Structures are given as C-alpha cells and as structure tokens.
Amino acid sequence: MTKSKHQAVGVDIGGTGVKAALVDVRTGELLSDRVKLPTPEGGEPDAIRDAVVELVERLEAPEGTPIGVTFPAIVRHGRTMSAANVSKAWIGLEAERLFEQALGRDIHFVNDADAAGFAEDHYGAAKDAAGLVIMTTLGTGIGGAFIYNGVLIPNAELGHLEIDGHDAESRASNRAREREELSWEAWAERLQRYYTHLEFLFSPDLFVVGGGVSKSSELFLPLLTLDTPIVPAKLRNNAGIIGAAALARGV
C-alpha cells in the first residue's frame, strides 16, 4: 500500500465537468477511480464548490491528505481574475478561500492549464526535460503553461497573444479549425505562424501540445517546421488532476 505521505487529491474543474482522484505523486499514477460530476448549469461559485466537496468526500482520502484544485481562469493569490465557460461571478472572487472554508482545510489552487503543464513536465511528455518547457492546449481556446527547470511560472495566457491583428486562439485553436472546417494542412499553416511567434518570443527548449486534438497529432505536428522540438502530451484528461495533486503535495 502506498504510504499516505506520497498521496494527494487532485480536483480538475472544467466548463463541462468536475473530476477528481487520489494520486501517487511519486509516479503520477491514479490510486483511485476518477470520480466526476457535470459542472453545474450556469457555473455559479456555490454550486461548483458543493460539487467539489461531494467529489472529495467520495474519494475517502486519509485525513490530512493535501488537496489541489484547478480552475479555468487566471489565478492570482487565490483570487480568480477571469472566467471561461463559468459564471462571471468568479471574476475577482476569493476562490481559494471559498473552497478552503467548505473543505475545512488549506488547498493549492491553480489555473487548469498550469496544472496540466506541470504534470506533463514531471510525469509525461516533458519528463526530465531541462530549460524552458512550454505546454499549449489546443481546444476551445489555447491554454498555456511555462515550466522552467521544473518550476511553474503561472498564468501564461498564450492564447491571447496578438498575431496578425487577431487573438491567436481565434485563428489557431481547435475550435477555429472545426468552425472553419479547415483541412489539417490549412490549420497547420496557422499553427506554424503561432508556434514560430512563440519560438521567437521565448526561445523554449521544448513544446508540448495538449488538448483533445493531440490524439491526432500525427496529422498536423509533422507539418510544422520549427527549431524547437514539439511533441504531443501524454497524460490526456488526467493531466489537470495529476498536476493539481503534485502541486498540493509540493513536488
């Protein structure tokens, strides 16, 4: 049996679902089944808080187990400064305190893309990578995370870089590909522009590409020509849970 000092709970809050599991932070493996609830309609703070409490109770983690919680927003000092696919009531809210009071303990509260990037750096596609790793998630928008020599640099809103007069995610996200019915080749041209710009600005050592479309990475990543290695994410839908748990345990 894994000792409790290596366990933590990860909770990943998204626009459509809230999911959680107990994680072995030495390996990044789930120690429990993943439990999930639909995100309450309207995404109001109290309703999401109650869903998180229910999921944590279902896991029956040992008393004192650290808890990490992700959220799809800019998170500054425990406060949510934006809101994606949830109620605007989150903007400016003391969200970390909201969850801590409901759970009766301290938590680690973090942006969802940051948690996923941290997980990929420690357990996934960027494990053992040195220097600057940039993870991007290609989905409804474009999420981003910076990890430098294993240390997370939070709140990199890489989808909102302006390229050719447009928010990058309005042209290069997976939603844009689907909305405009772009071929993989046409979409890759936009991704080329996007990743070339990131490469110029930040000189990373590795790009990791996440989001559901990364399952089809062989259809578009080989079409890109970059100086920086670029690889698909490995942890899929568990990345946020694993990263939240690892950050909560102070890995």
Side-chain angles (χ1 to χ4, degrees), residues 184-235:
W184 294 108
E185 290 77 12
W187 188 46
E189 290 181 8
R190 297 188 181 186
L191 293 177
Q192 179 71 50
R193 181 78 182 91
Y194 175 63
Y195 285 108
T196 298
H197 191 56
L198 287 181
E199 197 171 50
F200 172 72
L201 290 176
F202 302 113
S203 300
D205 295 284
L206 178 67
F207 284 121
V208 177
V209 179
V213 75
S214 65
K215 291 182 291 188
S216 302
S217 62
E218 74 281 358
L219 298 176
F220 62 92
L221 288 189
L223 303 177
L224 304 181
T225 303
L226 299 163
D227 293 329
T228 306
I230 185 166
V231 298
K234 288 184 177 179
L235 301 177

Side-chain angles (χ1 to χ4, degrees), residues 3-232:
K3 295 181 180 179
S4 59
K5 70 179 181 179
H6 299 302
Q7 296 179 10
V9 170
V11 182
D12 191 14
I13 300 169
T16 58
V18 184
K19 51 189 184 288
L22 188 63
V23 178
D24 182 340
V25 300
R26 294 172 301 178
T27 63
E29 295 177 353
L30 301 193
L31 295 171
S32 70
D33 290 336
R34 192 174 67 174
V35 293
K36 185 175 181 179
L37 287 170
T39 302
E41 188 173 351
E44 295 295 335
D46 288 354
I48 290 181
R49 172 203 63 198
D50 292 346
V52 169
V53 171
E54 179 179 338
L55 291 178
V56 171
E57 289 175 349
R58 275 198 218 172
L59 291 174
E60 299 181 343
E63 186 175 351
T65 303
I67 298 175
V69 179
T70 83
F71 197 79
I74 297 168
V75 176
R76 296 191 66 190
H77 308 296
R79 189 187 293 264
T80 40
M81 304 307 295
S82 61
N85 302 310
V86 290
S87 167
K88 300 303 181 190
W90 288 96
I91 299 175
L93 185 71
E94 292 278 4
E96 186 173 59
R97 183 184 301 168
L98 176 77
F99 290 113
E100 287 181 340
Q101 290 176 342
L103 292 165
R105 66 181 100 173
D106 290 345
I107 67 166
H108 188 95
F109 191 60
V110 62
N111 169 268
D112 56 349
D114 283 344
F118 188 82
E120 289 291 343
D121 183 75
H122 281 66
Y123 311 104
K127 189 175 186 297
D128 300 323
L132 177 61
V133 174
I134 297 181
M135 178 171 172
T136 55
T137 55
L138 302 175
T140 303
I142 297 178
F146 284 167
I147 304 93
Y148 183 72
N149 286 336
V151 178
L152 174 66
I153 304 168
N155 296 317
E157 288 292 308
L158 298 179
H160 298 295
L161 287 174
E162 184 176 313
I163 299 176
D164 301 329
H166 300 275
D167 245 21
E169 67 181 19
S170 71
R171 308 252 311 149
S173 67
N174 192 45
R175 173 186 273 181
R177 180 186 70 83
E178 294 174 335
R179 182 183 64 240
E180 299 181 43
E181 299 182 348
L182 298 173
S183 67
W184 294 108
E185 290 77 12
W187 188 46
E189 290 181 8
R190 297 188 181 186
L191 293 177
Q192 179 71 50
R193 181 78 182 91
Y194 175 63
Y195 285 108
T196 298
H197 191 56
L198 287 181
E199 197 171 50
F200 172 72
L201 290 176
F202 302 113
S203 300
D205 295 284
L206 178 67
F207 284 121
V208 177
V209 179
V213 75
S214 65
K215 291 182 291 188
S216 302
S217 62
E218 74 281 358
L219 298 176
F220 62 92
L221 288 189
L223 303 177
L224 304 181
T225 303
L226 299 163
D227 293 329
T228 306
I230 185 166
V231 298

